[in-house]
Amino acid sequence: MSNAEMVRLLEQYADLNEINGENSFKVRAYRNAAEAVASLGESVAARVEAGEPLTDVKGVGKEIAEKLTVMATTGRFPQLEDLAKKVPPSLIELTRVKGVGPKLVQSLWRTLGIASVAELEGAILAGKLAGLPGVGAKKLEAVQRGIEAYHRNVGRTRLGEVDFIVEPFLDKLRAVPGVVRLEVAGSYRRRRETVGDVDLLAATNADTASAAITHAFAAYPEVAEVLGSGETRSSVRLKNGIQVDLRVVPEDAFGAALLYFTGSKAHNVALRQVALDHALHLSEYGLFEGGADPDRPATPGSAGRRVAGRTEEEVYARLGLDGVPPELREDRGELVAAAAHALPDLITLADVRGDLHMHSTWSDGRATVVQMLEACAAKGYEYAALTDHSKALAMTGGLDEAKLARQWEELDEVLAEARPRSSEAPAGRAGVTLLRGMEVDILKDGTLDLSDEWLERLDIVLVSVHSHFELSQAEQTARVVKAVSHPQVNVLAHPTGRVLGERDPYAIDLAAVFEACLANGVAVEHNASYQRLDLSDVNLMAAKARGVTVTLGSDAHSVDQLATMRYGVDQLRRAWLTSADVLNARPLAEVRRFLRKGRG
DNA sequence: GCCGTTTTCGGCCCGACTGTTTTCAGTCG
């Protein structure tokens, strides 16, 4: 059984236990264990086979280790199967409806036999919900709104699509008088590959400004519906279905609030624990001396004297920690590293010296080679690899050997013109070295869609899977391993084939693929297109752990798409990568040395 | 169920908002 499957089952077990009214700490323990497995970076099954104890994994104790072992060896989770007989798994879907939590689900199931969103809708129409304990007219309305939102917005929105919405909204709100700070927090700030709700955080210098921004927030033209509004918190749903929350906080607590609302939840929990270890108390209002007094009402500031809170750095510093970049705040060891002053010097967009994956009008790109090169020059790149598709992708106009030869004739001309032989040389693309490459299809049997002769002539050979996604894991792994073992291959592009929100990764043993890449001097790509972002952050961490070189490619099919590089850098940062881990953060000479694999 | 220079029991992050209540439970983040 794969780690992903184990994660899914552990989460399901946690959810069902929660609905069943089980001890909330036990529920959390299973969620923590699921998270631990998800970010493990190695196969649990392999670990079990090797006899390495699972209890070494933080968050996995004796009980869960046993359950994981059973899953790994038998492919089953008997306790979950038993629980599912008492609590139907379809109830989990009900808790995804906003306004419906575990307690209400339990009540719906026990008293009315409701076990699905569809049945809930039916019961509301039939007037059966009124009279249930805790359900009045307003609650009923909230549940109905929740159901509408559920249908409209199942799943999350890709980061690159949220940007288009968020940036203009921010501009509007920043213009409100009295707003001194406005930031996006949440998973958007952590640069997760997809975003659920958008969390905005504002600091104002007067109470009147706080009312003004709340008003401007609700009055934004793209707002379809105001979901809730209070003195410090408001929520709206935009016309495209995305929910946006606004919090207004005092300026001197902005850092603590930004920290808190950026999360992740796991990071916050861990950070608060660090605060407690220092006999301090952390909330979104600041870091306080003296613990909260349980006998007094928990009003802001009642917890003691504030010792930090204006900036995030101030809070971290008071806890003896270096400032943690938002991308790392996932409770994957960043606090330990911050305490040891050992956080990685994360790669930045400015470190990227070239783009190693782009298309032109020679296959399915929309811009010519010259246009792409000029755009790369404008970005200050030292080099760029032209990597059009091969002939197997007929619909993209992929290149066969004859067409590739014609492309090279054009490249000869382009390069001759670009050479600064006189003052009339086109300044635009001067300075960008073109690497002649191709994105060659991996055929079903693992052979490559281009002759060896041409593979040898290319400066850089990317290989990738664009077909036969449904092969078994063993077949897919063997296919890809065979491809990267070809002596002329340099980069395995978008290694899992996923398309966010559209297509799951195909079944493949990445550990085996990484081993083959390492043995053959092949790099794995992080495809920076925000539809793909493949490899994922967790898989990138695993690649780095095995010593595999990573490349970054925009996979641009137009000049505009070259800019998606920033989303790729986001994910590399989330994976703790530094510029030293990334091939195209190195100077051209080093890149060439890597591509030659030590040959001539 | 997990964890441990407060270790094998007794903790486990914290607060806002809403609605249904008459002092609080549920939900959310």
Side-chain angles (χ1 to χ4, degrees), chain A residues 20-73:
Chain A
N20 205 26
E22 191 56 76
N23 172 355
S24 65
F25 296 111
K26 173 175 167 179
V27 171
R28 190 194 294 173
Y30 276 97
R31 296 219 169 107
N32 286 344
E35 180 58 36
V37 171
S39 50
L40 188 57
E42 62 173 314
S43 157
V44 168
R47 221 177 143 125
V48 168
E49 209 168 325
E52 290 173 48
L54 290 169
T55 48
D56 288 355
V57 179
K58 191 169 178 296
V60 176
K62 185 164 162 290
E63 296 279 329
I64 294 180
E66 271 174 30
K67 291 182 173 75
L68 286 172
T69 304
V70 172
M71 282 187 238
T73 50

Side-chain angles (χ1 to χ4, degrees), chain A residues 145-221:
Chain A
R145 278 201 310 273
I147 291 174
E148 282 172 35
Y150 169 87
H151 286 310
R152 211 170 21 222
N153 194 23
V154 178
R156 299 164 63 91
T157 310
R158 295 183 281 219
L159 184 58
E161 287 154 2
V162 175
D163 269 339
F164 295 111
I165 297 151
V166 166
E167 313 258 347
F169 202 174
L170 287 180
D171 290 344
K172 197 87 176 177
L173 294 178
R174 286 204 173 104
V176 174
V179 174
V180 290
R181 292 205 62 181
L182 182 69
E183 299 290 341
V184 194
S187 52
Y188 179 93
R189 183 160 179 248
R190 302 201 311 280
R191 309 310 286 166
R192 271 193 61 179
E193 58 200 28
T194 59
V195 173
D197 301 340
V198 174
D199 298 298
L200 303 183
L201 187 65
T204 57
N205 58 13
D207 289 348
T208 52
S210 142
I213 190 172
T214 303
H215 181 260
F217 179 67
Y220 187 62

Side-chain angles (χ1 to χ4, degrees), chain A residues 181 189 201 250-261 263 267-276 278 280-289 305-324 329 335 338-339 341:
Chain A
R181 292 205 62 181
R189 183 160 179 248
L201 187 65
E251 203 180 349
D252 58 1
F254 190 81
L258 185 58
L259 195 54
Y260 176 72
F261 291 117
H267 178 84
N268 287 347
V269 169
L271 193 60
R272 285 183 173 178
Q273 189 54 55
V274 173
L276 292 177
H278 284 74
L280 296 169
H281 163 88
L282 180 63
S283 77
E284 58 262 53
Y285 294 101
L287 186 62
F288 297 91
E289 255 174 3
R305 191 177 70 86
R306 177 154 63 200
V307 296
R310 179 166 286 270
T311 67
E312 290 183 328
E313 289 67 29
E314 191 180 84
V315 174
Y316 282 121
R318 184 62 182 75
L319 296 173
L321 303 169
D322 290 343
V324 180
R329 299 182 194 170
L335 291 181
H341 309 296

Side-chain angles (χ1 to χ4, degrees), chain A residues 370-504:
Chain A
V370 169
Q371 287 168 330
M372 294 302 274
L373 283 179
E374 286 179 348
C376 287
K379 288 189 172 303
Y381 286 157
E382 293 175 30
Y383 46 87
L386 180 67
T387 56
D388 275 306
H389 289 289
S390 63
K391 62 181 179 292
L393 278 189
M395 58 182 287
T396 69
L399 284 65
D400 61 13
E401 288 75 4
K403 194 171 171 188
L404 182 56
R406 290 202 300 282
Q407 185 194 48
W408 276 38
E409 287 170 20
E410 179 184 304
L411 297 185
D412 287 340
E413 288 171 24
V414 166
L415 296 178
E417 282 175 23
R419 199 163 295 134
R421 60 184 175 204
S422 74
S423 56
E424 291 142 287
R429 51 189 188 273
V432 179
T433 298
L434 174 73
L435 298 173
R436 299 182 190 214
M438 187 122 142
E439 182 183 9
V440 179
D441 255 60
I442 301 175
L443 302 176
K444 189 181 181 187
D445 63 358
T447 58
L448 302 180
D449 187 30
L450 191 72
S451 71
D452 281 355
E453 182 202 344
W454 273 100
L455 288 170
E456 204 162 325
R457 295 178 68 181
L458 289 166
D459 294 325
I460 179 168
V461 176
L462 276 55
V463 294
S464 59
V465 168
H466 289 110
S467 60
H468 303 290
F469 300 116
E470 302 308 324
L471 295 181
S472 72
Q473 173 166 314
E475 290 170 316
Q476 196 72 272
T477 305
R479 175 191 186 191
V480 172
V481 165
K482 179 173 176 184
V484 299
S485 303
H486 188 292
Q488 303 303 334
V489 170
N490 301 117
V491 176
L492 176 60
H494 46 75
T496 78
R498 74 169 181 177
V499 179
L500 290 166
E502 290 173 27
R503 187 170 70 211
D504 286 337

Side-chain angles (χ1 to χ4, degrees), chain A residues 286-363:
Chain A
L287 186 62
F288 297 91
E289 255 174 3
D293 182 347
D295 296 331
R296 282 191 295 168
T299 55
S302 70
R305 191 177 70 86
R306 177 154 63 200
V307 296
R310 179 166 286 270
T311 67
E312 290 183 328
E313 289 67 29
E314 191 180 84
V315 174
Y316 282 121
R318 184 62 182 75
L319 296 173
L321 303 169
D322 290 343
V324 180
E327 296 93 328
L328 296 187
R329 299 182 194 170
E330 300 289 347
D331 195 25
R332 294 174 181 161
E334 69 275 11
L335 291 181
V336 173
H341 309 296
L343 284 169
D345 185 14
L346 299 177
I347 186 170
T348 66
L349 189 55
D351 292 328
V352 177
R353 291 166 178 257
D355 195 329
L356 294 181
H357 189 162
M358 70 183 70
H359 299 267
S360 74
T361 46
W362 277 96
S363 62

